[in-house]
Amino acid sequence: MVLLHVKRGDESQFLLQAPGSTELEELTVQVARLYNGRLKVQRLCSEMEELAEHGIFLPPNMQGLTDDQIEELKLKDEWGEKCVPSGGAVFKKDDIGRRNGQAPNEKMKQVLKKTIEEAKAIISKKQVEAGVCVTMEMVKDALDQLRGAVMIVYPMGLPPYDPIRMEFENKEDLSGTQAGLNVIKESEAQLWWAAKELRRTKKLSDYVGKNEKTKIIAKIQQRLEENDDDACLNSPWADNTALKRHFHGVKDIKWRPR
């Protein structure tokens, strides 16, 4: 099995094993799916930390409003009355006005916190240092653990607009967010190794040879558009001669080292 140390830019992401005979179409999709899956776990952990501290999401039309404004507009958090944490709520105001302040009690809070830490450990970049390969099964296990913890603490479920529920239902809206920019579409993912694009029409062994004990550093990125100067400049290979030749003839591109 070839060992791939997957990076985005210069940042380590995870280790992955694949036979040299693997079609790069399949491998590229697999790497992108793992990369995006880990991002999903990270987003959920971040939101669940807020859930543990400040309760469920407020309705969109109530977010950011003061108590006086909510009273004046006669707005009501109907889901807040339904989605009460097990064992009752403890009030802890959300200063940025996203969540309703009806936090879980300490025991239920620890259920969420402990599960969050376990899920983070499964997809942690420290797995690279430990020599542990990450699989889609591990990502799914982390997601299942997080889902189970939310069900324990909120047996009545979460509001349909709560980002945690939306993530679990794969209905998350990341448009216009940094989190959305981090996601790489499977159809537009590219793998690079040794300053070469690993083209989807070939096999991994076409690049790394037949030695199944080979270890490589593979960089994942979104496919570049030839008329997108910024994308070119942000490429991890923007200072690479081969890529310069690939974009030969594109006007006004200033190549710079990264």
Side-chain angles (χ1 to χ4, degrees):
M1 300 283 273
V2 178
L3 181 66
L4 288 82
H5 177 181
V6 178
K7 293 187 175 184
R8 187 168 190 187
D10 292 326
E11 191 173 351
S12 291
Q13 300 296 322
F14 54 89
L15 299 178
L16 172 71
Q17 284 187 321
S21 58
T22 305
E23 299 284 347
L24 281 165
E25 172 70 31
E26 174 189 343
L27 182 60
T28 303
V29 169
Q30 182 184 2
V31 171
R33 195 166 292 167
L34 261 174
Y35 173 81
N36 291 332
R38 290 175 66 256
L39 290 179
K40 187 180 190 72
V41 172
Q42 290 166 7
R43 293 194 302 270
L44 273 164
C45 287
S46 178
E47 287 294 349
M48 285 175 61
E49 286 171 347
E50 294 298 313
L51 178 70
E53 293 294 335
H54 303 294
I56 64 171
F57 231 51
L58 282 166
N61 64 342
M62 292 176 64
Q63 291 181 23
L65 299 181
T66 64
D67 293 340
D68 289 341
Q69 289 171 323
I70 290 172
E71 186 176 346
E72 183 180 343
L73 294 170
K74 298 179 179 178
L75 300 176
K76 191 175 182 181
D77 181 8
E78 295 182 359
W79 281 96
E81 297 175 1
K82 303 174 187 176
C83 305
V84 179
S86 295
V90 177
F91 184 73
K92 189 173 181 184
K93 185 177 177 61
D94 180 7
D95 291 333
I96 60 176
R98 294 170 74 236
R99 296 184 173 274
N100 71 355
Q102 299 298 319
N105 63 30
E106 186 61 28
K107 181 180 178 181
M108 291 295 103
K109 178 179 175 180
Q110 290 307 315
V111 169
L112 293 174
K113 292 279 191 181
K114 182 174 183 291
T115 308
I116 289 167
E117 292 308 310
E118 290 172 353
K120 283 182 176 179
I122 290 173
I123 55 94
S124 172
K125 293 172 183 176
K126 291 181 180 178
Q127 298 280 46
V128 173
E129 300 169 16
V132 176
C133 292
V134 176
T135 65
M136 218 40 229
E137 287 70 27
M138 293 168 69
V139 172
K140 290 176 181 175
D141 182 45
L143 292 172
D144 287 343
Q145 288 185 33
L146 294 171
R147 184 183 291 107
V150 172
M151 290 174 66
I152 290 171
V153 180
Y154 287 90
M156 300 303 291
L158 298 175
Y161 48 79
D162 193 295
I164 296 170
R165 175 170 168 178
M166 294 175 74
E167 286 280 5
F168 284 137
E169 295 177 351
N170 295 317
K171 296 178 181 177
E172 66 271 22
D173 181 10
L174 303 178
S175 56
T177 66
Q178 182 59 46
L181 294 175
N182 290 336
V183 172
I184 296 178
K185 292 180 182 178
E186 291 178 12
S187 60
E188 297 179 9
Q190 285 181 322
L191 292 179
W192 290 74
W193 169 65
K196 300 185 187 73
E197 179 189 349
L198 305 184
R199 297 192 174 275
R200 291 184 179 222
T201 53
K202 295 181 176 291
K203 293 182 179 181
L204 183 58
S205 59
D206 292 334
Y207 293 94
V208 303
K210 303 293 186 181
N211 185 355
E212 291 288 330
K213 294 184 179 180
T214 301
K215 298 178 182 179
I216 68 171
I217 294 176
K219 295 195 176 186
I220 185 171
Q221 68 175 44
Q222 192 101 346
R223 182 188 303 130
L224 301 177
E225 298 294 336
E226 291 196 10
N227 59 353
D228 187 344
D229 293 6
D230 290 334
C232 294
L233 292 173
N234 290 327
S235 163
W237 306 109
D239 59 340
N240 176 259
T241 304
L243 189 60
K244 291 178 187 179
R245 287 200 299 268
H246 177 70
F247 286 103
H248 178 69
V250 180
K251 297 180 179 179
D252 301 326
I253 293 182
K254 296 178 181 179
W255 301 97
R256 66 181 180 220
R258 291 182 61 78

